[in-house]
Amino acid sequence: EAQVTQNPRYLITVTGKKLTVTCSQNMNHEYMSWYRQDPGLGLRQIYYSMNVEVTDKGDVPEGYKVSRKEKRNFPLILESPSPNQTSLYFCASSLWTGLNEQFFGPGTRLTVL
Amino acid sequence: RKEVEQDPGPFNVPEGATVAFNCTYSNSASQSFFWYRQDCRKEPKLLMSVYSSGNEDGRFTAQLNRASQYISLLIRDSKLSDSATYLCVVNFDEYGNKLVFGAGTILRVKS
């Protein structure tokens, strides 16, 4: 089944404790992206990747890192999480660019205390 | 001014009603537009792309008005299953890397 998977789905952590949210797609898509969704603000892009080893900042990259060592995986790293990073995070992939249909993962609900 | 603005609603309509949402965008150079649907904080899913000439998919019709910089979504014969949040998405660069999402419009269809 074609899908985007994210882990974990729910995470409660404390300020400053490094964490990684994994994202994997099995559709051989070139483009992957991370978003955060907050009430009243819509989805905001954190980082995106056009291909392996090619990543770039979105609108809200501060406090986040990403890597794209393999085509299928695009992990999101929070080196020192803070409470303002409490949010619902979505990973998405699409065939070539964001202009192709984006397939979203199920989301990761992160709470930073 | 927000880059992409939507009326948050909620729009409460009876089954069978016709309902329309608008979405305005700030970048006059934007070329690509989409409507995504999101159920109850689940992942968004593409509903339809919006083409310059307008397009229709069953009960759903999308229109683009470049002069006034807005797109619209019309839903005819609303079903209970149409209840969701509808997200307007606009690209803000020529490569398709910067997509801006609206905050969404909530639709509730009631029997």
Side-chain angles (χ1 to χ4, degrees):
Chain A
E1 179 189 355
Q3 60 182 349
V4 179
T5 57
Q6 291 180 230
N7 281 293
R9 295 288 314 279
Y10 303 91
L11 179 61
I12 300 175
T13 189
V14 295
T15 298
K17 186 176 181 182
K18 180 179 178 181
L19 66 93
T20 299
V21 184
T22 64
C23 172
S24 183
Q25 50 94 4
N26 63 0
M27 296 170 278
N28 202 37
H29 284 169
E30 301 285 339
Y31 181 92
M32 297 186 74
S33 185
W34 274 104
Y35 298 90
R36 60 178 288 173
Q37 186 174 34
D38 302 290
L41 295 179
L43 277 81
R44 292 179 292 166
Q45 191 178 49
I46 302 171
Y47 271 93
Y48 65 90
S49 170
M50 295 292 290
N51 209 327
V52 174
E53 302 292 1
V54 180
T55 62
D56 208 346
K57 296 177 181 178
D59 290 327
V60 288
E62 295 78 20
Y64 305 94
K65 288 185 178 179
V66 293
S67 67
R68 187 96 182 269
K69 295 185 170 60
E70 308 164 277
K71 186 183 263 193
R72 64 184 293 126
N73 296 323
F74 190 44
L76 179 70
I77 302 152
L78 285 71
E79 294 268 359
S80 183
S82 62
N84 64 11
Q85 293 178 297
T86 292
S87 188
L88 178 59
Y89 291 86
F90 288 104
C91 178
S93 73
S94 58
L95 191 56
W96 297 113
T97 75
L99 300 184
N100 304 119
E101 178 179 1
Q102 292 201 69
F103 294 84
F104 285 81
T108 295
R109 188 168 292 281
L110 173 65
T111 301
V112 183
L113 302 175
Chain B
R1 180 187 173 188
K2 286 184 181 177
E3 293 178 301
V4 176
E5 289 201 77
Q6 295 183 250
D7 182 341
F11 285 65
N12 295 302
V13 303
E15 274 187 292
T18 295
V19 62
F21 314 131
N22 282 344
C23 165
T24 59
Y25 60 94
S26 62
N27 184 359
S28 60
S30 291
Q31 295 293 323
S32 299
F33 311 88
F34 310 89
W35 284 103
Y36 277 74
R37 170 193 169 129
Q38 185 175 27
D39 292 318
C40 202
R41 303 301 271 184
K42 293 191 174 179
E43 71 271 23
K45 294 183 180 178
L46 180 67
L47 179 66
M48 57 199 305
S49 301
V50 185
Y51 303 124
S52 296
S53 55
N55 49 304
E56 189 174 306
D57 183 2
R59 298 181 293 108
F60 299 83
T61 300
Q63 298 276 358
L64 167 63
N65 184 317
R66 286 192 187 278
S68 300
Q69 293 181 213
Y70 74 84
I71 65 172
S72 63
L73 178 67
L74 180 78
I75 305 175
R76 290 181 298 278
D77 189 23
S78 299
K79 312 289 185 194
L80 293 175
S81 57
D82 294 333
S83 297
T85 298
Y86 291 84
L87 307 176
C88 168
V89 185
V90 180
N91 91 297
F92 271 62
D93 75 341
E94 61 185 299
Y95 304 109
N97 293 327
K98 185 178 180 186
L99 291 182
V100 179
F101 284 71
T105 296
I106 298 170
L107 172 65
R108 297 185 185 136
V109 181
K110 300 187 184 296
S111 59

